[in-house]
Amino acid sequence: MNALHQYLFDTYRAARLGEPMPPAPGTHDVAVLRAARHSLAGRPARGGLRTALRRWWRPSAR
């Protein structure tokens, strides 16, 4: 399943459960890539990368 299909399933589920809609695929890509570049350069991760890592490692509520 690709990202668009998953996004459509997630928006449908959010609408049915009255939850906030998820961000569209690619919404935060630039910020995450910028944070990854800074991390690789020896600077601490902030913002987008930290948020993305939290989302990946947090168990989903599904």
Side-chain angles (χ1 to χ4, degrees):
M1 180 181 313
N2 65 27
L4 180 58
H5 287 114
Q6 185 63 49
Y7 173 70
L8 293 174
F9 286 131
D10 290 343
T11 54
Y12 174 75
R13 180 186 48 80
R16 296 275 308 208
L17 298 176
E19 297 176 351
M21 295 293 176
T27 302
H28 304 291
D29 287 354
V30 173
V32 171
L33 291 174
R34 186 177 296 126
R37 184 183 69 216
H38 289 301
S39 294
L40 293 175
R43 290 171 258 180
R46 293 178 282 179
L49 180 60
R50 186 175 292 168
T51 303
L53 291 174
R54 229 182 277 140
R55 284 183 189 158
W56 287 339
W57 292 107
R58 184 183 315 156
S60 64
R62 294 182 207 171

